[in-house]
Amino acid sequence: MFLNGCEAMLNNIDLNRLRTITAVFNKRSVAAAASELNVTSSAVSQSIRLLEKELKTQLFLRIGKRLEPTPFVTELCLAVNQFLGQLDHVLEGDQIKAISGKVKLGAPSLFGSGALMKQIGRLRKRHPSIQIQAVLGDTKRLLFDLLEGRLDFAFLDSGKYPVSTKDLLLQPVVTEELILCCSKSFYKEHVDSDHSYKHLSGLEHIPYHDSSEAIYKWYMHHFGKAPKLNPYLMVDHPIAILNAICDDLGLGVVPASTVENRKEIVVISTRKRPLVSQIVLAEVKGKVYSRAQRIIVNGLRSALEADWIR
């Protein structure tokens, strides 16, 4: 029924115009869509006008500098996305491997440098012709980049967000354990089996960039209060935190997956259960993915959910 409906629609609509409309829908901008399609902005605007004339309905509303889709064009793009998704199931074996394209995704720095990178590496081996760019950053930046069309999709920490998420689909995909840890020599010299709040909070900590959010979360979870930190060292990459920890520079909070099988690391435990952070997959509602984008987003979602279940 669905395929028949799409066939009837495509018989009456220029496919190039439909492709143009989905690009505008994804980017929310005529100029950005034109750049993606390698055509002029006037050509994109003309396609919108012609398709609106053919369908006898308005497709986009201009709000400030952004184009907001009408309910009709949202449904149209959802249908096109579903149709293309069904076509992907027809492709098998070498045909899937031969698919090429670019995918740009976002993720929190700690999560992105741990479990996510492992799964990206596995997908890369199965789909060598797909180029993946991972942008690691804070939640606010990732949300803005996703809503402005600079990211195809993103993984986010769950919780309260600084901007509205009404245009996003948010799906929990995995949880990660966040641990406080240090090197064996730092533990022996400074911790010495004293895991009390008073003792631990007085030691040197290594925060990520200019934020101690992960450290505060760990202390709030385990002790119900956050320490006053005055770190002498701040780093701008999660791997740098691990390196600093291994070099005996202090305590740091990292995903448990990043220190698996590292015998030089000691995990600080308390009587409380481990601190667990939920990660959600954020997608723009109705976004029409390319084949490469669908392969990567579905592959990562399935792999992360499978690890979560295990």
Side-chain angles (χ1 to χ4, degrees), residues 109-110 113 179-183 205-212 214-215 233-255 258-259 262 265:
S109 297
L110 293 178
S113 63
I179 59 171
L180 182 70
C181 61
C182 62
S183 67
H205 291 72
I206 309 165
Y208 171 71
H209 201 41
D210 57 354
S211 171
S212 302
I215 296 174
L233 173 66
M234 293 180 287
V235 298
D236 62 359
H237 196 280
I239 300 302
I241 293 180
L242 281 176
N243 291 337
I245 289 172
C246 292
D247 288 336
D248 311 327
L249 296 180
L251 296 159
V253 173
V254 297
T258 62
V259 299
R262 299 190 68 157
I265 298 293

Side-chain angles (χ1 to χ4, degrees), residues 21-53:
I21 294 304
T22 56
V24 175
F25 178 85
N26 290 338
K27 298 295 185 180
R28 300 295 200 270
S29 163
V30 168
S35 177
E36 180 180 89
L37 298 171
N38 197 27
V39 298
T40 64
S41 295
S42 60
V44 172
S45 297
Q46 184 180 24
S47 291
I48 294 175
R49 288 194 298 270
L50 289 173
L51 192 54
E52 286 180 332
K53 184 177 180 180

Side-chain angles (χ1 to χ4, degrees), residues 19 57 100 133 152 235 245 277 284 299:
R19 179 168 174 261
T57 186
S100 62
Q133 181 180 355
D152 298 313
V235 298
I245 289 172
S277 175
V284 176

Side-chain angles (χ1 to χ4, degrees), residues 9-19 51 54:
M9 177 186 71
L10 295 178
N11 282 337
N12 296 305
I13 297 177
D14 186 300
L15 289 179
N16 287 327
R17 288 180 199 156
L18 190 61
R19 179 168 174 261
L51 192 54
E54 289 177 356

Side-chain angles (χ1 to χ4, degrees), residues 109-296:
S109 297
L110 293 178
F111 172 70
S113 63
L116 183 62
M117 283 301 163
K118 293 181 181 179
Q119 300 301 342
I120 288 177
R122 292 170 184 171
L123 278 175
R124 185 74 177 87
K125 292 179 181 179
R126 296 203 298 269
H127 308 287
S129 297
I130 298 178
Q131 185 181 77
I132 303 174
Q133 181 180 355
V135 177
L136 306 184
D138 60 70
T139 299
K140 184 176 181 179
R141 175 195 171 189
L142 295 174
L143 274 172
F144 276 114
D145 284 350
L146 180 61
L147 291 169
E148 293 294 330
R150 290 186 288 272
L151 295 175
D152 298 313
F153 60 91
F155 294 95
L156 305 172
D157 291 313
S158 63
K160 295 182 179 180
Y161 298 115
V163 297
S164 172
T165 58
K166 65 180 180 64
D167 293 327
L168 299 178
L169 294 172
L170 301 175
Q171 176 187 351
V173 289
V174 69
T175 58
E176 63 173 356
E177 180 184 345
L178 297 180
I179 59 171
L180 182 70
C181 61
C182 62
S183 67
K184 279 187 175 181
S185 56
F186 185 92
Y187 185 88
K188 183 177 180 180
E189 182 177 353
H190 299 284
V191 181
D192 194 25
S193 301
D194 187 348
H195 294 189
S196 67
Y197 171 84
K198 182 178 180 180
H199 182 68
L200 291 175
S201 62
L203 299 177
E204 189 63 46
H205 291 72
I206 309 165
Y208 171 71
H209 201 41
D210 57 354
S211 171
S212 302
E213 181 181 1
I215 296 174
Y216 292 149
K217 281 185 177 180
W218 190 91
Y219 276 92
M220 287 299 298
H221 174 79
H222 287 276
F223 299 109
K225 50 186 175 181
K228 293 182 179 179
L229 301 179
N230 186 27
Y232 74 91
L233 173 66
M234 293 180 287
V235 298
D236 62 359
H237 196 280
I239 300 302
I241 293 180
L242 281 176
N243 291 337
I245 289 172
C246 292
D247 288 336
D248 311 327
L249 296 180
L251 296 159
V253 173
V254 297
S257 60
T258 62
V259 299
E260 290 178 352
N261 303 318
R262 299 190 68 157
K263 296 180 180 180
E264 74 275 23
I265 298 293
V266 178
V267 177
I268 307 298
S269 60
T270 71
R271 294 181 179 180
K272 286 285 190 74
R273 292 182 178 181
L275 170 62
V276 174
S277 175
Q278 187 174 77
I279 301 296
V280 301
L281 171 63
E283 302 173 272
V284 176
K285 291 179 180 178
K287 177 176 174 62
V288 180
Y289 288 122
S290 67
R291 288 178 179 176
Q293 291 165 352
R294 281 195 300 278
I295 287 172
I296 299 304

